Amino acid sequence: MTTWVGKAAVEIAAAVREKQVTPREVVAEHLARIERLDGRIGAFRVVRAEAALAEADEVAARGDLAGLPLAGVPVAVKDNLAVRGESMRVGSAATPDRPAGADHVTVARLRAAGAVVVGLTNVPELCVFGTTEGVHGTARNPWDTSRTAGGSSGGSAAAVAAGMVPIALGNDGMGSLRIPAANCGLVTIKPGHGVVPAGIGDGDWFGMSENGPLATTVEDARLMLSVLADTGFAGEDGEPGAPSVAVSLRSPLAGVTVSAPYAGAARDAAGVLMRAGHQVRRADPPYPLSLGVTSLAHWTAGTAVDAAPYDPRLLARRTRVHAALGRRFLNGVHGGTAREELRRRLEPFFAEYDVLLTPALARRSPRSEPWHERGWLRNVLVNTNYSPLTPPWNLTGWPAMSVPFGTLPSGAPAAVQLVGRPGSEAELLRVAARLEALRPWRRTAPLD
């Protein structure tokens, strides 16, 4: 008997289209795995068992089944995107517990492509921090359950890494896709601004937040991105040539260092690309010294906007402090030019190099603790020290990926980040596919 847990989304969809398996069989097998494992992992806030099986039957009955790119593929959705008939709690006790009347556009596109939503995944309150825990649950790293899955798309990443779904939907405002993907050994891409519909919170954190895929293979990430963007992205053979690559091991934030395992992963990935024919050079982008202040201002101001509709007495203290600080930055963020100045400063670098390769993180994920009960400063310091490399590319609005590469001393996955100029999503995916082909990774955490 074929087992569909652990199969890639492209394999599952092909088998469903060819009627080798029914959507119900695929979904039921994944639901059984969720039931067996999620008590240890904490990926899901809501599991839609009965609804998902009914929706799987609806997919099987569709007249266009043979043409559905995600036919019968189970998918998890981050709990800050509306799923019809389910409440959207965004990790908080302050949000209303009422069902959404319609799907978010990205969820609707996944369903139109044949995917079946099996559940909504845990997030930190208002998706602020790079660890996932709170009143609705704690998402742990399936590779090491003593550690956080990351955040804010931590539940979605944990669900995929644990084999509970082959793909999941998340979003990224300061690294919220790339951080948990790097922790959990997954592929993700934060698309450039405007490639995928956003509609995240109130104003998408000033246009910095983007929706994107979490997957175990580059091919699955490309397929899901194509569905979300409603356009194609060329594969490995899409265009000839080898993009030039700049390798930087430097933290963009002054005073934060990159640990040896992550620096080593980036160096090793650079060597692999060089031997594959890419022109690779060591070169650091000209990050401004003011980048830390710019990042903090936008991070906190985005939270201030998102927290405004809710009763502050129902928010965690770290969230209240973050939002209070952000209110002081709101006018400067709304009327400021820091992001445009950052883009102008970095554009010449990307005129010289096609792709920037960096470590994905500075150090391994923090221990899985009740961070939502810890003080604000402690949270900010932990987040900043382990993930300083992701925020610049939300500020610029340019595409960036996290790709598994190498392992940490603990045996958990390490990862590298790929960054490109606007419109370079297909190029980044091709470079990621080259890394995958030359240094394949273990796709699912060893939980059985």
Side-chain angles (χ1 to χ4, degrees):
M1 177 181 172
T2 301
T3 179
W4 297 100
V5 166
K7 299 287 188 186
V10 292
E11 297 177 86
I12 292 171
V16 169
R17 289 193 297 267
E18 294 164 10
K19 299 193 175 179
Q20 297 173 11
V21 65
T22 67
R24 173 175 275 265
E25 290 170 323
V26 172
V27 170
E29 191 175 351
H30 285 84
L31 287 170
R33 187 169 177 88
I34 293 170
E35 184 176 10
R36 182 162 60 86
L37 294 180
D38 200 42
R40 293 160 56 189
I41 304 302
F44 287 92
R45 179 182 71 84
V46 170
V47 178
R48 308 177 67 248
E50 291 185 13
L53 290 171
E55 289 170 18
D57 291 339
E58 292 172 4
V59 171
R62 285 177 57 168
D64 59 351
L65 178 68
L68 298 178
L70 292 175
V73 175
V75 63
V77 174
K78 185 176 180 179
D79 192 24
N80 68 338
L81 297 170
V83 173
R84 184 184 64 251
E86 305 292 344
S87 60
M88 185 177 72
R89 300 306 305 272
V90 203
S92 182
T95 51
D97 186 13
R98 60 171 177 259
D103 287 332
H104 186 277
V105 60
T106 54
V107 177
R109 286 182 177 182
L110 291 173
R111 281 179 155 159
V116 177
V117 178
V118 299
L120 285 78
T121 57
N122 277 315
V123 299
E125 186 171 58
L126 304 189
C127 298
V128 175
F129 291 100
T131 61
T132 294
E133 62 292 300
V135 295
H136 298 295
T138 295
R140 299 174 182 271
N141 188 338
W143 294 89
D144 180 355
T145 55
S146 72
R147 303 253 159 205
T148 178
S152 62
S153 305
S156 285
V160 177
M164 293 188 276
V165 286
I167 54 174
L169 179 60
N171 37 56
D172 189 314
M174 293 291 271
S176 290
L177 281 166
R178 288 161 290 156
I179 294 167
N183 286 333
C184 296
L186 303 179
V187 182
T188 191
I189 180 165
K190 178 196 77 69
H193 185 64
V195 173
V196 172
I200 306 158
D202 185 358
D204 309 322
W205 274 18
F206 314 103
M208 296 192 303
S209 293
E210 305 293 346
N211 292 309
L214 288 153
T216 64
T217 70
V218 176
E219 188 175 12
D220 275 4
R222 180 188 293 114
L223 173 61
M224 188 172 172
L225 180 64
S226 296
V227 169
L228 295 173
D230 199 22
T231 188
F233 291 90
E236 174 71 9
D237 57 353
E239 292 181 11
S244 62
V245 179
V247 183
S248 174
L249 308 181
R250 174 192 163 197
S251 165
L253 301 182
V256 180
T257 58
V258 176
S259 66
Y262 280 101
R267 276 194 296 265
D268 291 347
V272 166
L273 292 176
M274 185 180 295
R275 291 189 291 274
H278 291 263
Q279 180 185 358
V280 180
R281 293 181 181 172
R282 283 288 297 271
D284 294 326
Y287 302 117
L289 287 174
S290 60
L291 182 59
V293 173
T294 301
S295 298
L296 181 66
H298 285 76
W299 182 22
T300 58
T303 303
V305 172
D306 285 349
Y310 305 121
D311 183 344
R313 295 170 297 180
L314 298 177
L315 297 174
R317 184 173 183 274
R318 67 173 182 176
T319 307
R320 294 198 306 270
V321 174
H322 209 71
L325 179 60
R327 286 193 289 272
R328 301 182 182 186
F329 287 121
L330 274 174
N331 289 339
V333 166
H334 277 301
T337 60
R339 292 178 64 194
E340 182 55 39
E341 290 169 2
L342 179 63
R343 282 189 283 265
R344 284 198 299 267
R345 186 180 180 99
L346 293 172
E347 280 167 354
F349 183 88
F350 284 92
E352 185 174 358
Y353 301 102
D354 298 311
V355 174
L356 170 65
L357 168 66
T358 77
L361 298 171
R363 48 187 48 81
R364 65 178 176 169
S365 60
R367 295 195 65 82
S368 183
E369 299 180 3
W371 289 102
H372 62 299
E373 298 174 359
R374 305 287 189 260
W376 173 81
L377 183 59
R378 186 175 175 189
N379 272 274
V380 168
L381 291 176
V382 163
N383 278 246
T384 301
N385 284 324
Y386 104 96
S387 181
L389 295 124
T390 55
W393 316 113
N394 298 92
L395 292 167
T396 61
W398 298 347
M401 291 190 69
S402 180
V403 182
F405 195 92
T407 57
L408 303 176
S410 66
V416 296
Q417 179 176 230
L418 302 174
V419 183
R421 62 177 69 91
S424 66
E425 287 83 3
E427 189 165 60
L428 296 181
L429 287 161
R430 283 192 293 276
V431 175
R434 181 64 56 85
L435 289 173
E436 182 181 27
L438 296 172
R439 287 284 185 89
W441 48 80
R442 183 167 183 173
R443 294 174 41 237
T444 305
L447 290 165
D448 296 317

